[in-house]
Amino acid sequence: MTEKPDLREDQPRRSGGLAGAGTEEATTAFREESADLDAPPGPDVPAARATPVPAIPVPAPSAGPVASAPTPTPTPTPTPTPPAPASDVPAPGVAASAARSPRRPRRVPVIVLLITALHVALLVTYSFVYTTWAGYDEAQHVDMVYGLQHGAGWPAPGEKMIATGVAATSDDFDRGRFQDMFQSGGKRRGSPSFAEIAPTPRDARQSFDELGGPTPVDDGRLSNQMIQHPPLVYAIGAGLLEALPGSENWAYDQQVLVLRLLNILIVAPLPLLAWAAARRFGLRGPLATAAAALPLAIPGFTRVGATFNNDGILILATGALTVVLAGVVRGDLRRRTALWAGVWFGVAMLSKAFAFALPFTIAAAYLVGWLHTRRARTSAATAGSEPEPGAESVRGGPRGRLPVLPAAIAVGLGLAIGGWWWVRNYLLYDALQPNGWATNPPRREPLLLPDSFLTWFWYFVRTMISRFWGGLGMFEPPQLSPVTIVAATVVTTALCALAVITAVRRAPSPAGTPAGTPGWQARLARLAAPLVLLTPVAFAYLMVGQRSWAEYERYTRGIAVQGRYLYLGIVGLAVVAVAGLGRLLGARARWAPVLMLVGGLVMQALALLAVCSYYWLPRQVSFTPARIPDVVAAISRWAPLPVGVTITVVVGTALLWIIALALTLIPALRHRTPADATADTPAS
């Protein structure tokens, strides 16, 4: 009978010497992938702190099997100290201080790097599938960059009119010949798709300067509302184009492609951030790898990341902040950690107003971390063990006081880095985020009748879900099928709920705990830890809902209901969902990366099928595998680079999917986990 896998991280092996050799290989696959599923959240440090093992004076250890009873010898022969076991708990006879030696830096597993490469390749593919100006408000975002390049500065709300050079081509999508098909589902009414429209030949496409330059349009249209957002990403984009020699003479779509590649570079680390956050939260091996793969399963996010906007930098900053806070909720209350939290909070403050919810997330993370360290100290005192030297000053603060200082450092530094922009707005316009149009514009969204809260609420809930997973058009179609959207939502919600519920149920209650020991703190810390990682999504959802309801009361229309506003919390969502998946799979957690990659492949295939069928096939033509060359050819005609580049990107993305699936499937079938996905430290 195979030994049941030990689900606690850093637990000493239960079999030693030759007696344990028979089960060593069988249980290796589970020790890392199931780690920390049962153990309470705690600092990501060697296990000697949580489970100290005192040094036991024994004769010098032998390399052979352990004898049933020690046989004293008159003159024992000294032998070399054996190497430390695979776990972080010191072996008997080895000084406990050895377990506290610094760990070597962890290498990112090859499979995680491959998933990141696949993520980037998929983003580049989408940048071709979505032709220039097909991103959300992409013309307005590009116009902000173009204005900075030509000294327009940052005008007041209502004063930034779009440049003539930008409007010359983008107007086709917003108000011209493509508007009905692109924004209103006109293909169903007979409007031609991109596949039926002959684009301007690639060698005849002009630059922004040649198309009219920075001169503002004067046709009475609304101003560029993006003036309401901080300028960070636009300044970076302008600097990038200025640094590229001769870029001002490039065709307009090639300049837009540069800005798209900038956004792709910004969101490229998301799988790495999800993996790092999962590890800091206590997930190991295949579960951390599965967290890295979750962003691939959200086609709407891929579409946003592949076009130019200011969402990408908010997603990056909040994702990196989540990595930091995943350690904070487990007791990392160091000031150095607080400084990193402050830096990423500051970057988020210079991206979009959704960053205003992050101080609450930071404060909640430090409160949970304090509860965890206080519970850990109480448990150590009850067991009569001594804390590791310096542990209190590094992790929990002196005498376990509330971590006001590190929390204040994180929030204060972030406000110092990015808060000045919002103070400026308040001083100049009497509002933190003024109306970018400086007027109430006419709305083109459909009326929602009858006029009631329930009408709005039902529209808001189903539209947010739909556009979170598959915001594929402007607005719909194209879109994913309702079955796909509901299935993805139910599965993700169930996994997150499972992670939270089982965390509370498995909170430890050691026997012999004296009266007054805060057992409730253990349960509260375990309950709150995953909830903290979900707060960016929750707060963004509430902020979007509050604004949408206010607009509905004014216009009786569904306005500003965009699922992309929730993408700032993708990293936290990935960690919690995969934690629930680990609970569900148990000893079969080695299959988690396979399931996530297969799920991502299905979601992306369905999304690309919907997009290509609507944009890149003629009217009355259905998609079949035989139509793939026609689709690629149509995309290539509109692409800013030669056809060979488009084909190379599409083929390369497909090959990366195959390789990634193979590298996760083969070890799962062999009942083993790749060494590079499970090792805490790199191989020597």
Side-chain angles (χ1 to χ4, degrees):
M1 181 175 180
T2 305
E3 179 185 358
K4 183 178 180 181
D6 184 4
L7 300 182
R8 289 182 180 268
E9 177 195 3
D10 297 332
Q11 194 81 351
R13 299 187 183 273
R14 300 183 182 179
S15 300
L18 298 179
T23 57
E24 177 70 67
E25 181 176 353
T27 58
T28 298
F30 307 123
R31 294 191 181 276
E32 286 292 349
E33 65 202 13
S34 304
D36 274 356
L37 295 181
D38 286 335
D44 189 9
V45 294
R49 293 181 52 185
T51 311
V53 179
I56 302 174
V58 296
S62 171
V66 179
S68 58
T71 304
T73 56
T75 55
T77 304
T79 58
T81 301
S87 68
D88 291 324
V89 179
V94 181
S97 60
R100 297 193 297 266
S101 60
R103 293 181 178 183
R104 289 177 290 176
R106 295 171 179 148
R107 287 190 304 207
V108 179
V110 173
I111 184 59
V112 175
L113 295 176
L114 183 62
I115 290 172
T116 304
L118 173 59
H119 169 62
V120 173
L122 197 59
L123 290 168
V124 177
T125 299
Y126 269 62
S127 72
F128 292 146
V129 170
Y130 283 92
T131 188
T132 306
W133 308 130
Y136 290 111
D137 300 320
E138 191 166 33
Q140 286 73 22
H141 290 297
V142 172
D143 179 64
M144 298 304 299
V145 174
Y146 190 60
L148 289 177
Q149 283 184 277
H150 291 81
W154 212 259
E159 298 181 3
K160 177 67 174 76
M161 304 306 298
I162 194 169
T164 302
V166 175
T169 53
S170 64
D171 274 359
D172 284 339
F173 293 78
D174 186 57
R175 57 179 59 198
R177 52 182 177 156
F178 310 145
Q179 187 270 336
D180 185 53
M181 182 273 295
F182 179 61
Q183 296 196 9
S184 305
K187 185 179 179 182
R188 297 172 178 173
R189 298 186 295 271
S191 296
S193 67
F194 292 136
E196 301 172 85
I197 301 172
T200 303
R202 192 173 292 108
D203 56 0
R205 297 171 193 171
Q206 297 177 306
S207 67
F208 289 127
D209 291 347
E210 294 170 327
L211 290 168
T215 304
V217 298
D218 58 357
D219 55 5
R221 71 178 68 190
L222 289 171
S223 63
N224 188 341
Q225 78 275 21
M226 297 305 158
I227 205 74
Q228 66 187 337
H229 296 301
L232 178 59
V233 72
Y234 308 118
I236 295 174
L240 175 61
L241 285 173
E242 287 295 313
L244 296 174
S247 62
E248 68 277 4
N249 300 319
W250 296 354
Y252 74 93
D253 57 343
Q254 293 178 345
Q255 295 187 51
V256 174
L257 177 62
V258 171
L259 297 178
R260 286 185 168 193
L261 292 176
L262 170 63
N263 202 50
I264 289 173
L265 181 65
I266 289 173
V267 301
L270 259 292
L272 292 173
L273 294 177
W275 174 81
R279 288 192 61 91
R280 281 178 63 80
F281 194 67
L283 305 179
R284 293 291 185 264
L287 294 182
T289 302
L294 185 135
L296 301 178
I298 308 176
F301 164 65
T302 309
R303 183 259 180 100
V304 168
T307 55
F308 182 66
N309 49 63
N310 61 352
D311 293 306
I313 197 164
L314 176 64
I315 295 169
L316 170 68
T318 311
L321 177 63
T322 303
V323 175
V324 178
L325 298 184
V328 171
V329 298
R330 301 186 69 216
D332 186 356
L333 309 181
R334 294 172 293 180
R335 296 180 185 178
R336 181 179 65 181
T337 304
L339 290 174
W340 277 113
V343 168
W344 289 114
F345 171 46
V347 174
M349 288 288 288
L350 290 175
S351 59
K352 298 187 80 166
F354 285 103
F356 278 109
L358 295 179
F360 299 99
T361 301
I362 294 172
Y366 275 96
L367 180 59
V368 173
W370 171 73
L371 286 174
H372 166 71
T373 54
R374 186 178 181 187
R375 187 259 308 163
R377 282 195 194 89
T378 304
S379 299
T382 303
S385 59
E386 293 293 332
E388 181 178 338
E392 291 196 1
S393 62
V394 173
R395 291 272 172 176
R399 294 183 299 278
R401 293 181 298 187
L402 279 170
V404 175
L405 180 59
I409 290 174
V411 175
L413 179 59
L415 292 175
I417 293 174
W420 62 270
W421 170 260
W422 308 99
V423 173
R424 163 198 176 272
N425 284 348
Y426 189 80
L427 294 177
L428 292 178
Y429 312 119
D430 199 30
L432 292 177
Q433 184 175 20
N435 183 338
W437 290 302
T439 185
N440 293 321
R443 311 305 308 195
R444 55 189 176 187
E445 293 86 353
L447 288 170
L448 300 179
L449 298 174
D451 184 358
S452 69
F453 173 80
L454 291 179
T455 300
W456 166 83
F457 184 75
W458 173 238
Y459 171 82
F460 176 77
V461 170
R462 61 187 174 86
T463 305
M464 284 293 288
I465 293 173
S466 173
R467 293 178 179 173
F468 174 83
W469 292 107
L472 304 177
M474 184 66 76
F475 299 98
E476 292 91 13
Q479 62 188 138
L480 294 171
S481 69
V483 173
T484 303
I485 293 168
V486 171
T489 303
V490 169
V491 169
T492 304
T493 304
L495 291 178
C496 291
L498 182 62
V500 175
I501 293 172
T502 54
V504 177
R505 290 179 58 189
R506 293 172 180 260
S509 300
T513 302
T517 298
W520 61 270
Q521 293 179 2
R523 284 182 167 78
L524 181 59
R526 290 181 65 89
L527 169 66
L531 294 179
V532 166
L533 301 188
L534 294 175
T535 53
V537 171
F539 279 126
Y541 192 90
L542 293 176
M543 292 173 72
V544 176
Q546 183 276 328
R547 180 190 171 187
S548 177
W549 170 245
E551 298 285 4
Y552 180 79
E553 288 188 304
R554 175 179 296 178
Y555 297 106
T556 321
R557 300 174 187 267
I559 299 173
V561 184
Q562 296 292 334
R564 60 191 170 99
Y565 296 146
L566 307 184
Y567 295 156
L568 80 168
I570 280 182
V571 170
L573 179 65
V575 173
V576 179
V578 167
L581 181 61
R583 293 289 193 192
L584 183 65
L585 295 177
R588 296 179 178 85
R590 65 187 181 278
W591 287 95
V594 179
L595 295 176
M596 199 61 68
L597 282 173
V598 170
L601 177 60
V602 171
M603 294 292 289
Q604 294 291 352
L606 293 175
L608 289 172
L609 174 63
V611 173
C612 293
S613 297
Y614 186 81
Y615 290 146
W616 300 111
L617 284 177
R619 288 163 290 182
Q620 308 302 321
V621 175
S622 300
F623 179 85
T624 64
R627 293 286 181 181
I628 292 178
D630 297 336
V631 170
V632 175
I635 293 173
S636 300
R637 288 196 300 270
W638 287 77
L641 299 179
V643 61
V645 177
T646 304
I647 295 175
T648 300
V649 169
V650 172
V651 173
T653 303
L655 290 176
L656 285 174
W657 270 113
I658 296 172
I659 296 172
L661 281 171
L663 289 184
T664 54
L665 183 60
I666 293 174
L669 291 173
R670 290 178 176 175
H671 208 76
R672 298 183 63 182
T673 301
D676 61 353
T678 60
D680 277 353
T681 57
S684 57

